[in-house]
């Protein structure tokens, strides 16, 4: 399966099996807005539980918060979002399509890098085992030229973005002769800044005064509550505040399914530290968060760190954890050293002190903040991309057959156990299966299914990632034993009904992910 095919499969599978539907689909959908179906909501909740357990439950010095989506409009002035939360927008005058200028340029840089890689691949084939890739990359004139060009454009883009130099972004588009990916022409408008915040109006106040924003990040709810939380929980710096919640951005280019949405969910944690300590904690959180991603089985080679080329207005260091999605390595999580920018700005604009008295050093200061921020939806997409597989397996007659399986970590699977009577029309079997289901449902998210032949029911459970299928057959009626089928090995074990809970519980518990 090519990566493009895989991506199409993920989208189709998500809809067919009740994971994700386009929002308001009967009206042709709403661009970049999606609804989570019955299995999608379970998987997303499990992802959020995994994050919450790892961040809040496992850290005595991290506590939770659920702040409102609407905040006083001054919040967004202080945070810099009113003035600086912009993307550079450009229109093609012929196709009337709208793009992010920086994304067009980044895609061009990738193309230049791909040319260098192609030369290297050709040489690798030609020279075989004796090929020294590192030497070739630094000495082959064509490879060196492509690499230098890519680096120069990257640096120029970084500079233009940091300076907000829209004219130079347009000049880069022209210098590189970048064409509209859809229309093919180079007839561009000027590049202009576009603020990504959605706004609405407070009911009883007209005009600018009543202008409210839908939060573009959850972090600000944490900053403005910093002292409320610190005082009410008697936390000492260093400590963190964690939050999961919706965020909204009026993305210019909203493509790639749930990768870039206009309404999405963030899992953010702000870690408050003594000034001067931030780089130590930045490194700590980089390693801790990378380990969190790998713990659910995501292979290390599918994840990488990527330092930011241009820093956001609030950061003195920033790195992304990127995942190799079917459309390439892209940001999954951001880890940012945000200095004391946010607390200081809120302090200044509100006139309220947001300082911490540190008994260890007998001094008051505005803490520095290291933030970890991961999108629940992007996490969902990375997990689906990793889990969705097609395999050749033996069917009931021992012949090769293809199955679609979601190899989710059992703790994240939407349904933990499917309970299946061997036959639908034998009341003694369906009654026994119902009894097993009614017992297990107190411990796990279970599903009872009696429709279709047993093989088809197994396939249906494979496709939604159910780690265990329990089948009730005639032997169950005699000796209270069932078969329990493992999704990954396909092995079927015969066990007593009383053993099911222990076998399943050992595999699906979040505990195994915490140690
Ligand atoms: N508080 C910092 C912050 O918001 P960010 O890098 O803009 O940083 C953090 O966003 C994470 O939120 C991203 O790594 C991504 O996982 C997720 N995210 C951001 N924009 C998104 C969008 N439009 N759709 C889905 N997820 C998004």
């Amino acid at each position: 399966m090519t990566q493009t095919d895989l991506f199409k499969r993920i989208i189709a599978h998500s809809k067919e099996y009740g994971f994700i539907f386009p929002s308001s689909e009967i009206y042709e959908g709403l661009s970049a807005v999606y609804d989570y179906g019955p299995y999608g909501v379970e998987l997303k909740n499990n992802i959020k539980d995994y994050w919450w357990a790892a961040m809040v439950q496992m850290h005595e010095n991290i506590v939770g918060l659920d702040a409102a989506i609407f905040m006083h409009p001054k919040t967004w002035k202080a945070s810099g979002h009113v003035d600086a939360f912009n993307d550079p927008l450009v229109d093609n005058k012929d196709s009337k399509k709208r793009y992010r200028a920086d994304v067009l340029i980044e895609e061009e840089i990738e193309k230049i890098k791909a040319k260098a890689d192609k030369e290297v691949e050709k040489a690798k084939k030609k020279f075989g085992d004796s090929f020294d890739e590192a030497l070739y990359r630094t000495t082959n004139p064509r490879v060196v030229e492509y690499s230098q060009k890519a680096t120069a454009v990257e640096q120029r883009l970084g500079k233009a973005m940091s300076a907000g130099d829209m004219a130079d972004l347009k000049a880069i588009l022209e210098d590189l002769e970048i064409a509209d990916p859809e229309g093919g022409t180079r007839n561009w408008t000027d590049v202009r800044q576009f603020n990504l915040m959605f706004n609405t109006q407070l009911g009883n106040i007209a005009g600018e005064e009543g202008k409210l924003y839908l939060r573009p990040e959850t972090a600000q709810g944490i900053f403005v509550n910093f002292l409320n939380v610190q005082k009410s929980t008697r936390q000492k710096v260093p400590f963190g505040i964690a939050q999961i919640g919706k965020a909204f951005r009026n993305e210019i280019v909203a493509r790639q399914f749930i990768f870039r949405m206009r309404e999405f969910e963030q899992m953010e944690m702000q870690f408050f530290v003594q000034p001067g300590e931030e780089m130590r904690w930045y490194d700590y959180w980089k390693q801790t968060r990378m380990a969190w991603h790998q713990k659910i089985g995501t292979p290390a080679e599918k994840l990488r760190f990527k330092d930011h080329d241009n820093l956001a207005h609030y950061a003195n260091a920033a790195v992304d954890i990127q995942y190799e999605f079917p459309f390439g390595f892209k940001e999954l999580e951001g880890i940012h050293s945000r200095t004391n920018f946010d607390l200081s700005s809120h302090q200044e604009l509100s006139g309220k002190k947001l300082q911490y008295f540190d008994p260890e050093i007998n001094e008051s200061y505005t803490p520095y903040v290291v933030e970890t921020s991961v999108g629940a939806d992007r996490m969902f997409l990375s997990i689906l991309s990793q889990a969705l597989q097609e395999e050749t397996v033996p069917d009931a007659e021992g012949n090769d057959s293809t199955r679609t399986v979601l190899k989710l970590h059992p703790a994240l699977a939407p349904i933990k156990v499917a309970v299946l009577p061997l036959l639908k029309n034998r009341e003694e079997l369906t009654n026994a299966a119902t009894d097993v289901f009614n017992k297990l449902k107190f411990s796990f998210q279970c599903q009872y299914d009696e429709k279709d032949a047993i093989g088809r029911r197994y396939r249906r459970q494979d496709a939604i990632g159910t780690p265990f299928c329990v089948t009730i057959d005639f032997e169950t009626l005699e000796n209270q034993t069932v078969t329990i089928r493992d999704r990954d090995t396909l092995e079927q074990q015969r066990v007593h009904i009383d053993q099911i809970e222990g076998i399943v519980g050992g595999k699906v518990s979040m505990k195994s992910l915490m140690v």
Side-chain angles (χ1 to χ4, degrees), residues 93-271:
K93 291 184 202 165
D94 301 323
S95 70
K96 311 283 179 231
K97 297 272 177 207
R98 181 162 279 187
Y99 298 94
R100 267 175 65 176
D102 58 329
V103 171
L104 288 174
I105 297 165
E106 275 166 10
E107 283 169 358
E108 194 60 27
I109 294 170
E110 289 308 315
K111 281 187 202 160
I112 301 169
K113 286 183 179 167
K115 283 183 189 166
D117 291 343
K118 209 170 158 193
E119 292 292 329
V120 173
E121 281 309 310
K122 269 200 295 191
K124 209 184 257 175
K125 275 199 191 121
K126 193 168 153 194
F127 297 114
D129 287 347
S130 61
F131 182 61
D132 182 340
E133 183 174 330
L135 185 70
Y136 194 78
R137 281 192 181 274
T138 48
T139 52
N140 178 274
R142 220 171 311 163
V143 175
V144 171
E145 191 194 330
Y146 288 137
S147 305
Q148 284 177 344
K149 187 172 176 192
T151 309
V153 181
E154 252 166 1
Q155 284 170 351
R156 188 171 165 197
L157 172 65
K159 234 163 130 185
M161 290 294 287
S162 302
D165 188 344
M166 298 297 111
D168 199 42
L169 288 179
K170 171 96 186 270
I172 302 175
L173 284 177
E174 287 170 347
D175 292 351
L176 295 179
E177 299 186 346
I178 295 175
D180 179 341
E182 294 196 33
T185 73
R186 301 187 178 88
N187 197 4
W188 298 112
T189 61
D190 285 341
V191 180
R192 52 202 190 282
Q193 298 277 28
F194 177 79
N195 193 287
L196 298 183
M197 282 196 294
F198 282 102
N199 61 63
T200 184
Q201 200 67 29
L202 203 60
N204 55 352
I205 306 174
E208 273 300 302
E209 280 286 283
K211 193 169 176 180
L212 281 189
Y213 295 99
L214 271 71
R215 67 180 178 198
E217 61 171 10
T218 58
Q220 296 306 323
I222 291 179
F223 288 122
V224 301
N225 276 299
F226 160 67
L227 271 191
N228 281 339
V229 174
Q230 189 270 320
K231 285 187 174 152
S232 56
T233 58
R234 297 183 303 149
Q235 286 289 343
K236 284 191 187 144
V237 166
F239 79 96
I241 305 177
Q243 178 169 217
I244 298 177
K246 289 268 181 159
F248 304 83
R249 294 183 191 178
N250 199 357
E251 299 283 358
I252 298 168
V253 188
R255 276 180 301 187
Q256 294 161 327
F257 194 36
I258 55 168
F259 179 80
R260 198 174 301 285
M261 302 160 88
R262 296 202 164 101
E263 174 181 341
F264 57 101
E265 219 164 345
Q266 288 187 315
M267 306 190 282
E268 296 202 296
M269 192 276 303
Q270 324 301 129
F271 201 70

Side-chain angles (χ1 to χ4, degrees), residues 404-416:
T404 300
V405 56
L406 268 190
K407 291 207 168 170
L408 297 167
H409 189 289
L412 300 180
I415 304 293
K416 309 300 188 203

Side-chain angles (χ1 to χ4, degrees), residues 319-347:
V319 68
D320 289 339
I321 294 178
Q322 293 187 330
Y323 171 77
E324 191 177 15
F325 289 96
F327 39 86
F329 270 103
K330 299 274 175 207
E331 175 184 351
L332 178 58
E333 168 154 8
I335 296 156
H336 312 125
S337 171
R338 291 181 78 129
T339 67
N340 60 0
F341 173 86
D342 302 86
L343 288 181
S344 299
S345 301
H346 287 305
Q347 189 163 259

Side-chain angles (χ1 to χ4, degrees), residues 4-71:
T4 316
D5 289 343
L6 171 63
F7 193 39
K8 284 187 189 150
R9 281 297 303 271
I10 291 167
I11 299 170
H13 192 89
S14 296
K15 177 147 185 248
E16 185 181 349
Y17 286 96
F19 283 87
I20 299 172
F21 308 125
S23 157
S24 26
E25 197 187 7
I26 57 166
Y27 297 103
E28 310 302 325
L30 181 63
S31 167
V33 186
Y34 291 91
D35 299 338
Y36 284 82
Y39 301 119
V41 67
E42 296 291 344
L43 174 55
K44 198 176 181 202
N45 282 342
N46 293 339
I47 293 171
K48 291 191 278 186
D49 287 349
Y50 173 42
W51 185 86
W52 195 264
M55 300 302 272
V56 180
Q57 192 181 331
M58 297 303 291
H59 289 93
E60 278 170 68
N61 61 346
I62 299 183
V63 290
L65 181 74
D66 182 14
I69 287 172
F70 288 136
M71 300 182 71

